[in-house]
Amino acid sequence: MAASIVPFLGGVSLAAETNYDEAAVRQYTLPDILAGPDGTAVTNAEAWREIARPHQFKLLETFVYGRRLPAVPVSVTGKVDRADCMLAGNVTAERIQATIKLGDAPDALTTDVLLYLPKSARPAPVFLHLNFRGNHAEYPDPGIRLSTAWVPDNKATPEVEHVATEASRGTSSRGWPVESLVSRGFCLATAYCGDVFPDRADGRPSSALKSLGRPVEGTLPPDEPGGIATWAWQLSRILDWLITLPEVDPTRVIVVGHSRLGKTALWAGACDERFAMVVSNDSGCGGAALSRRNFGETVGAITSRFPHWFCPAFATYADRETELPCDQHTLLAMTAPRPLYVASAVDDRWADPRGEFLSCVAAEPAWKLFGLDGLGTREYPAINTPVGHSIGYHVRTGRHDLLPYDWQQFADFADRLLSK
Ligand code: GCU
């Protein structure tokens, strides 16, 4: 991506500050992910669980994402819609739609969950992901409920004045290969992130944070959770409901996310160890990519354009990333010993593909404590050549996107690491 066409600039020119030159990457030293509160590195899995992981998790809460939000009881509102459907390529599936109420406070919000399940091979492993524009945009099925939530719009998409239209049905479907994944035996589940936090700087007062009793206006505490933490909480609440379905294998729910929702998937997997596997696609800065590596998007750039995503403390590390007590390899290490897959795209330089890979390398010691091989290489792989063991990684051709190629690798990895 050329510096002059960095997307979503919101009128701010960052081109001059963006480094895309490997030779200009400063030297950096990463914090030790195995360190406990007194700085001593743990040497075994038990001490990781008891001492280092809680400490490292706390650093991520305090300096990047904000405090983990509490669980609340979930309940189904209205009836669960179930329908048999014939998908393209004669793939048979069952479609389930349910509205889930998140908590029992009078102002608790709801989220619409959409599932496609294979007709056989149940209980099925699940790929759960949040989407950017409403469930109806994810797949061209006229039976999918049209979102009534606020949705982002721009000249290129068919939403009008932030309201979803019939014309937006299926417009994001390139990023969700339902037929091929269902025919491989996976259940697919999705929900719209805007159901719990509209993705805009002033989204907080209309977010689920209100019903959780958090401050939504004025000066916020430095570790107050933002959009990413709220979306991660939404994923956990959806999981609470998913595992009540007899068709779903509760031990094989995989959380997946692309871009800002890839950052979210990683944080959801860190907060909730019931997710059996975590997948980050092109998550970049504040996701899989190392903040200390000055390449592509920076802490200053992301927190000035998206101040609502992180906790307020994160923005104070703009231009002083080396002082952050944690880095993004800390986030990746939170998945250990569960399988983790990180995907990059070669032209997505804004997300720093090499910084995502190096973050996997630096997270590997957490898997080693469990006797697992982690990534198993320090050599940046060739394009379209997945590598790894308990940590999988690929860099594919093309730009910032979630494509069938990416899903195919996630499914192959899940088959390899989560098969029964
Ligand atoms: C912007 C942002 C990225 C983010 C991406 C997305 O490009 O700078 O950090 O990942 O949007 O979510 O699409």
Side-chain angles (χ1 to χ4, degrees):
M1 184 186 300
S4 56
I5 53 161
V6 169
F8 305 105
L9 276 177
V12 187
S13 174
L14 300 165
E17 307 162 11
T18 308
N19 176 44
Y20 288 128
D21 178 3
E22 252 340 296
V25 172
R26 290 183 297 260
Q27 289 221 325
Y28 56 87
T29 306
L30 293 173
D32 185 354
I33 52 166
L34 300 186
D38 67 359
T40 311
V42 299
T43 53
N44 59 64
E46 197 193 340
W48 164 257
R49 280 193 199 286
E50 300 295 319
I51 302 166
R53 189 186 192 276
H55 171 64
Q56 299 289 332
F57 180 82
K58 182 90 197 144
L59 297 178
L60 292 163
E61 278 187 306
T62 309
F63 299 106
V64 187
Y65 303 102
R67 282 159 190 259
R68 176 176 23 201
L69 292 163
V72 292
V74 295
S75 53
V76 175
T77 299
K79 80 170 186 34
V80 176
D81 284 347
R82 286 176 175 267
D84 284 336
C85 24
M86 180 65 83
L87 309 178
N90 285 338
V91 176
T92 53
E94 182 177 5
R95 185 191 64 222
I96 300 182
Q97 297 188 83
T99 301
I100 310 295
K101 189 167 177 217
L102 308 171
D104 42 23
D107 56 352
L109 300 184
T110 60
T111 188
D112 285 339
V113 186
L114 166 68
L115 270 79
Y116 288 97
L117 296 117
K119 295 287 285 177
S120 54
R122 292 172 173 186
V126 184
F127 278 118
L128 167 63
H129 80 284
L130 293 181
N131 62 67
F132 291 79
R133 291 169 51 223
N135 295 347
H136 62 276
E138 289 296 283
Y139 192 63
D141 174 346
I144 300 174
R145 297 173 189 165
L146 200 64
S147 176
T148 54
W150 178 95
V151 283
D153 62 26
N154 63 53
K155 288 197 185 73
T157 61
E159 293 83 12
V160 178
E161 310 263 332
H162 300 291
V163 175
T165 65
E166 284 293 329
S168 42
R169 285 191 178 282
T171 45
S172 302
S173 61
R174 203 166 63 110
W176 203 34
V178 173
E179 295 85 3
S180 63
L181 292 168
V182 168
S183 57
R184 286 184 66 162
F186 290 98
C187 164
L188 304 180
T190 191
Y192 171 45
C193 68
D195 285 346
V196 306
F197 197 122
D199 191 5
R200 44 176 215 254
D202 65 354
R204 188 178 291 270
S206 354
S207 77
L209 292 169
K210 199 160 171 226
S211 71
L212 292 171
R214 315 298 300 205
V216 291
E217 270 150 345
T219 306
L220 302 169
D223 62 352
E224 190 58 30
I228 291 175
T230 313
W231 297 326
W233 171 86
Q234 177 188 14
L235 285 161
S236 283
R237 304 292 69 79
I238 294 171
L239 179 61
D240 292 342
W241 173 70
L242 278 180
I243 60 178
T244 68
L245 300 177
E247 300 88 345
V248 159
D249 182 345
T251 67
R252 288 187 294 163
V253 181
I254 303 157
V255 62
V256 183
H258 170 59
S259 208
R260 68 199 68 184
L261 297 174
K263 310 180 206 299
T264 302
L266 290 166
W267 184 235
C271 292
D272 193 335
E273 295 189 70
R274 295 174 302 167
F275 288 112
M277 172 176 143
V278 179
V279 180
S280 148
N281 193 74
D282 301 357
S283 62
C285 182
L290 294 171
S291 298
R292 279 169 172 71
R293 230 182 84 90
N294 57 311
F295 190 102
E297 190 171 27
T298 60
V299 172
I302 200 166
T303 54
S304 59
R305 292 166 55 219
F306 306 101
H308 56 294
W309 284 358
F310 300 92
C311 70
F314 194 47
T316 67
Y317 287 90
D319 298 325
R320 52 181 201 107
E321 285 88 347
T322 52
E323 291 170 48
L324 267 166
C326 51
D327 207 305
Q328 296 308 112
H329 66 317
T330 318
L331 176 66
L332 300 188
M334 292 297 110
T335 299
R338 297 164 292 165
L340 166 72
Y341 200 96
V342 173
S344 309
V346 72
D347 297 332
D348 185 17
R349 295 189 304 157
W350 183 238
D352 188 11
R354 190 179 291 270
E356 298 193 310
F357 173 78
L358 292 171
S359 189
C360 293
V361 172
E364 191 176 66
W367 276 265
K368 293 259 178 191
L369 291 177
F370 292 85
L372 296 166
D373 272 341
L375 195 60
T377 179
R378 292 178 166 250
E379 203 177 308
Y380 196 52
I383 293 173
N384 300 332
T385 312
V387 291
H389 300 279
S390 297
I391 307 174
Y393 177 85
H394 74 247
V395 53
R396 66 155 164 75
T397 36
R399 59 188 189 90
H400 186 73
D401 211 341
L402 176 60
L403 296 176
Y405 174 86
D406 301 308
W407 282 104
Q408 193 190 324
Q409 311 319 314
F410 309 156
D412 289 351
F413 189 69
D415 277 348
R416 190 148 53 85
L417 283 117
L418 293 184
S419 59
K420 288 241 148 156

